[in-house]
Amino acid sequence: TDREYQEMRDAAVAIMREQGVRRLPVLDEQGSLAGIIAADDIWIALSNQLKILGEITVRERIGEIKRRM
């Protein structure tokens, strides 16, 4: 879910900050390496979410202005 993703993302960012690293291993359920998450991956995901939020805000603002006219 989005909530679980946000919690994992926040935990990854906290670990990166605490350890002074930009990449973390991602392990599967058996503890084997499944991949690597990089700080850049997180930044890209967040920037995409902010872009969507910005588009929604602009649409709503335009709608508010039109309703006032």
Side-chain angles (χ1 to χ4, degrees):
T1 66
D2 278 344
R3 182 87 167 157
E4 291 170 330
Y5 166 76
Q6 290 173 358
E7 290 173 0
M8 285 188 283
R9 182 198 62 214
D10 293 347
V13 169
I15 293 168
M16 288 178 182
R17 184 177 49 242
E18 291 167 7
Q19 299 296 318
V21 298
R22 295 183 43 80
R23 293 171 189 82
L24 292 174
V26 177
L27 306 178
D28 64 16
E29 293 175 0
Q30 290 75 37
S32 298
L33 183 65
I36 295 176
I37 181 96
D40 291 346
D41 299 328
I42 295 170
W43 280 114
I44 290 168
L46 288 173
S47 68
N48 289 337
Q49 290 177 345
L50 287 173
K51 179 182 177 218
I52 292 167
L53 180 59
E55 291 168 352
I56 292 168
T57 302
V58 167
R59 274 196 311 267
E60 288 182 359
R61 185 71 177 126
I62 291 170
E64 289 171 1
I65 291 169
K66 286 181 178 179
R67 284 190 293 276
R68 291 180 188 161
M69 298 177 129

